[in-house]
Amino acid sequence: MDTSNKTAVAIRAQRRAWMAAFMGAVAEVFRIGERSVGPIVDLFIRFWLGGIFFTSAIIKLADWQKALYLSAYEYPVSWLDPVTAAYLGISVELFGAILLTIGLATRFAALSMLVLSLVIQFNYVALEVNLFWAVLFGWYVARGAGPLSIDHLLSRGLADSALPFATTGSKMMHAFSAYSDPLYRLFMRAWIAAAVVGSAVVAVHVPTQSALGLLPLTSAAKFGGLGLICGVLLAAGLATRVAAIALMLLTFGLAMTSVWDSVYAYWLALFALLALYGPGRLSIDAVMEQALRRLFPQLDGKPVFLLEGLPRVVIVGAGFGGLTCAAALRSTPVQVTLIDRQNYHLFQPLLYQVATASLSPGDVATPIRGMCREQFNVRVLLGSVTGVDSTRQEVLIGSKRIPYDYLVIATGAQHNYFGRDEWERYAPGLKRIDDAIEVRRRLLTAFEQAENTDDAQRRASLLTFIIVGAGPTGVELAGAIAELAKHGMEKDFRNFDPASARVILIQAGSRVLPTFSERLSTVARTALERLGVEVLTGSRVEHIDDEGVIVNGERIAARTVLWAAGVIASPAARWLGGEADRAGRLKVGTDLSVPGLKNVFAIGDTALSTAWAGQPVPGLAPAAKQAGAYVAKVIRARVMGRKAVPAFTYQHLGSLATIGRKSAVVEFGSLRLSGTSAWWLWGLIHIYFLVGLRNRLSVMFDWFWAYLTYRSGTRLITGDTPAESQSESVSAPVSAPVSALHA
């Protein structure tokens, strides 16, 4: 298919995608409301009604003789003995209210209370409140209790149990709900509409008994002309949710501009149920929805457009930039292939907390397939890219070739040992989960071996931890190790005090955090030293081996050395034959495309862009996300045949680094914070950028627990730990391939 035909296909697909996306967004809003707010409203109404009837029962039980007198003379039921009526009425009020409130045998409890409400209405005093009770109880008879109920909790287990008639009874209840629910919603809409419309055409100058006690005409008359219009819409089941929301707002307005009447609460409950759960199948809304689903199958989760013949976008790397780009192409008529060497997206800014046993790997990693599950135009491939054939427009995964029309390289970076790659086995870096687990193993094993030895010199070297590099990773790692040693482990060992451990941070430059302002750099150093970290600035590492390091000609004995001194970009420049800087970053143009290859883009740590007011864009997560979103716009404009997107401009959102449990430094332009306030801001921002609600909740809980108890949650030594008899070092080779890092 030629370019013009592809563009035409893409434009048609885009128009349908926009319409489907709008309708899908509206439907999703209502669906979210039904699933999140609906159960809460359901529970509230049950508690509310149950409380009213339970209170009535308690009052009658407190004066049983008066209850018998009232049953015999004030509101006798002609077809029941007064004593029987009193016992039966109080039993329904008491036990029915309890069962309804907790959501146990909800239908039967609601049915008994519905009958009682009607008996009160037609055998005692006809009041509007009795009608509202009956209609609300009927809702629970037809539908049962919502998710926040014992019935819902037990339903699946009972249906699959060996209890007699359990399976049959469960099927009968499901069948009853399937038929009764739409019928009852139709009845409820018609009842509300009859009251609202009827109140507008019937003169309401007499008590409600004049309307046979069937409709709440008096209170419905207050809705006026807007109520009349909404009532007609409810009766037809047309724009039901919108009409119900309008009536809710009208009711709120009436309640605020007049004397409060409890009847307003009942109207609000009915309108809320219709707004949240909709009109049901017996409505014009349902007919229109089915027609729209046939016209737009994607509303049922089917593809928004056919993928065949659409432009192919290949994204290499599922880091911040790659995922952002893929997500931004959700409604763009393209085929997206996302390739990564791991099956998870890694939140690298918190990787040091995995290394220091504060978080588990699952807290900072999310499966890529799960993240892309709902995006039909994305397929995920697990594999390590070995090259790019830009002539044939193919990405190489070993012998496999993936064709592309647009290529986005977001392969990140890996450790840079500045030509001394042999140091890697002695000083692992921190870029992958495997690195973090290895660092954690070395740290915890050092403490264990310090407990086992009686050699003071050997123990001192085991308890010396050196971090090379004082950028954000090095500073955070040093602070976390110092806290790990000094807090929470004081009762774990018998032969030594963990607080005696030395943590040494080595920086070749003149200060820590060189990208921050000098004032914040000084604050960070002070905070580190307060934790007991020894900071050596202006110091260059000359040699690393399994016995320690040589710094400025002096040997420091240490069995655990960690590398945070620098990174080097993935081999993207070599794959494409492009120009790269000293760190291996591929130079890109103003639209982030590779010079000479307008359909190939590089973003994130693997790219060198001067879009930050002429300065290189920093290797930060926000920068990668901005670049990913920008490239998606460029691709969308080209696919749709639109005018070119303006040049990429990086908006710096700030820099953050934390030092220990209550100190951090934050720099947002001219705003510079440090101390506790910066620590809270740092935590909130990192939780916000985490992917997935489960990860956010898990990290918040772990941090809160560790903060209050000084206990780290995942002090597990995993991997191959060399026996002391076999090796006197806790160091072990780390197999970190030199190929592209796609995380």
Side-chain angles (χ1 to χ4, degrees), residues 311-326:
R312 299 158 298 186
V313 178
V314 174
I315 301 173
V316 184
F320 291 105
L323 279 178
T324 300
C325 184

Side-chain angles (χ1 to χ4, degrees), residues 346-647:
L346 178 62
F347 189 76
Q348 285 188 358
L350 290 181
L351 199 56
Y352 80 95
Q353 294 210 5
V354 177
T356 53
S358 295
L359 297 175
S360 68
D363 293 330
V364 299
T366 306
I368 299 170
R369 292 192 184 278
M371 299 171 67
C372 300
R373 182 182 296 121
E374 302 299 327
Q375 192 170 342
F376 81 97
N377 66 335
V378 171
R379 68 164 179 162
V380 178
L381 293 181
L382 179 66
S384 182
V385 172
T386 55
V388 175
D389 186 339
S390 57
T391 302
R392 299 176 59 178
Q393 295 195 168
E394 293 174 333
V395 173
L396 311 179
I397 305 178
S399 60
K400 185 178 180 64
R401 291 176 172 262
I402 310 297
Y404 66 84
D405 294 302
Y406 299 94
L407 173 62
V408 182
I409 299 179
T411 45
Q414 59 191 26
H415 317 120
N416 183 10
Y417 290 88
F418 307 106
R420 301 298 298 270
D421 292 342
E422 69 274 12
W423 290 354
E424 184 175 9
R425 61 179 291 151
Y426 308 115
L430 202 58
K431 279 293 182 180
R432 304 174 303 158
I433 283 182
D434 291 345
D435 299 334
I437 293 174
E438 171 63 14
V439 170
R440 184 180 69 188
R441 184 187 70 77
R442 295 187 182 209
L443 291 176
L444 299 180
T445 301
F447 286 103
E448 296 295 337
Q449 292 190 355
E451 176 78 355
N452 293 341
T453 185
D454 294 323
D455 185 335
Q457 186 175 357
R458 172 171 167 73
R459 179 180 291 142
S461 67
L462 285 168
L463 295 178
T464 299
F465 304 96
I466 293 177
I467 300 95
V468 182
T473 299
V475 166
E476 292 175 339
L477 194 56
I481 294 174
E483 285 210 329
L484 177 67
K486 291 175 172 52
H487 301 297
M489 299 179 72
E490 65 275 9
K491 296 182 180 179
D492 292 357
F493 300 97
R494 302 293 179 265
N495 290 338
F496 73 98
D497 179 7
S500 64
R502 293 179 67 194
V503 181
I504 303 173
L505 180 62
I506 300 174
Q507 170 73 345
S510 59
R511 58 189 178 95
V512 302
L513 298 178
T515 59
F516 286 69
S517 68
E518 189 169 348
R519 184 183 72 82
L520 289 183
S521 176
T522 302
V523 169
R525 176 166 185 159
T526 302
L528 286 169
E529 291 174 340
R530 192 181 301 121
L531 284 173
V533 177
E534 301 175 34
V535 181
L536 305 180
T537 54
S539 303
R540 186 173 299 278
V541 174
E542 299 169 355
H543 181 73
I544 303 177
D545 55 32
D546 60 0
E547 296 293 332
V549 302
I550 297 177
V551 181
N552 296 338
E554 179 184 351
R555 172 170 284 279
I556 302 176
R559 299 305 178 93
T560 303
V561 181
L562 306 176
W563 188 265
V567 295
I568 189 170
S570 68
R574 188 172 69 249
W575 294 342
L576 298 168
E579 185 180 358
D581 67 354
R582 293 175 57 188
R585 293 180 297 179
L586 179 62
K587 293 186 178 180
V588 295
T590 57
D591 61 353
L592 302 185
S593 65
V594 178
L597 300 171
K598 299 300 292 182
N599 63 336
V600 179
F601 304 87
I603 59 177
D605 290 347
T606 199
L608 174 61
S609 168
T610 56
W612 185 16
Q615 300 297 316
V617 174
L620 302 174
K625 291 167 71 72
Q626 289 181 34
Y630 173 83
V631 168
K633 289 181 182 179
V634 173
I635 293 174
R636 186 182 305 115
R638 295 186 188 180
V639 167
M640 304 304 297
R642 300 176 189 158
K643 64 179 182 180
V645 177

Side-chain angles (χ1 to χ4, degrees), residues 49-98:
L49 296 177
I52 293 172
F53 278 71
F54 183 80
T55 302
S56 175
I58 294 300
I59 292 173
K60 292 174 182 175
L61 285 173
D63 193 345
W64 178 243
Q65 293 303 319
K66 186 175 182 179
L68 288 176
Y69 176 83
L70 293 173
S71 179
Y73 301 106
E74 294 294 329
Y75 44 86
V77 179
S78 59
W79 39 275
L80 273 179
D81 175 78
V83 176
T84 304
Y87 274 113
L88 186 59
I90 291 178
S91 297
V92 169
E93 288 182 333
L94 183 63
F95 297 108
I98 294 173

